[in-house]
Amino acid sequence: MREALIAAARQLLGDRGPEGFSLTDAAKLAGVSPAAPYRHFRDREALLAEVAAEGFGLFGQRLAAALSSAPGQSGFTAMGRAYLAFAREEPGFYAAMFSQRAQPPGEDADGAGRPAYEILLRGVAGALAQHGGAGVDAEAFARQVWALSHGVASLERAGCFGRTRPGEAEDLLVSGVEALLRGARERAAAETAPA
């Protein structure tokens, strides 16, 4: 029953967003009594946290597979595409992961999102090493990349990109990360240049 409730919540989250479901809704969709969820989850927030944790686990696997799919910058770029694909293909998980109540990745060393964030940091470190990013704060750069990725994914999910140009979100993400990388390298070079 626990897995059925998680699946029901995931579907409701994908359809309605984090504020659009209750434990009663999840119970009804799972085909159990309204009281049944309380045997497994203390409240709606506990169910939301479980969906987010499962989502971050799958998300981390996809990011790791993308990063290892190609060497250097190609693997880093593949991570961006995997990020967008996950948001498209797993809207319930994505909504739970980035709900207001979920702990942002990187904020809590023990949080469910931390392993996925560590994969991003590995990708960032590789991209910086390959493109002369010595002196660039990898943690700050990773946060910028994560913010850009999340913004593009959220805008795409909201229908802000036209359907006339397939791949527009991916192109925007790749060019945005490239611009961030150039800017980070230029700032780092300026900070280390003799006065």
Side-chain angles (χ1 to χ4, degrees):
M1 179 181 4
R2 180 182 174 85
E3 290 306 313
L5 288 165
I6 291 169
R10 182 175 155 207
Q11 181 179 336
L12 290 166
L13 284 159
D15 294 344
R16 302 178 185 175
E19 301 305 323
F21 85 100
S22 66
L23 276 178
T24 302
D25 294 332
K28 184 176 182 179
L29 187 58
V32 298
S33 75
Y38 293 101
R39 291 186 208 131
H40 303 280
F41 303 99
R42 95 179 156 274
D43 56 20
R44 176 187 177 282
E45 300 311 315
L47 176 55
L48 181 63
E50 185 63 30
V51 176
E54 285 194 18
F56 273 122
L58 180 59
F59 184 57
Q61 291 171 12
R62 291 205 190 169
L63 292 181
L67 183 60
S68 66
S69 70
Q73 182 67 30
S74 296
F76 187 57
T77 301
M79 280 180 60
R81 290 191 173 95
Y83 191 113
L84 295 178
F86 185 87
R88 276 184 217 116
E89 295 164 8
E90 300 292 350
F93 278 146
Y94 195 77
M97 290 160 48
F98 296 106
S99 70
Q100 293 176 344
R101 291 167 188 83
Q103 184 69 33
E107 290 292 316
D108 177 1
D110 298 323
R114 189 66 194 186
Y117 187 72
E118 293 292 335
I119 294 163
L120 173 64
L121 285 172
R122 274 201 329 260
V124 162
L128 290 173
Q130 185 177 359
H131 292 284
V136 173
D137 180 345
E139 182 84 28
F141 185 68
R143 288 182 178 276
Q144 291 171 343
V145 169
W146 197 293
L148 178 61
S149 302
H150 183 70
V152 171
S154 297
L155 288 170
E156 183 182 43
R157 178 146 167 73
C160 294
F161 298 119
R163 302 215 185 276
T164 57
R165 227 183 101 216
E168 183 177 5
E170 283 86 353
D171 293 346
L172 179 61
L173 181 57
V174 169
S175 64
V177 170
E178 288 171 355
L180 285 173
L181 183 56
R182 278 192 305 276
R185 282 195 321 253
E186 290 168 7
R187 280 190 303 279
E191 289 170 4
T192 58

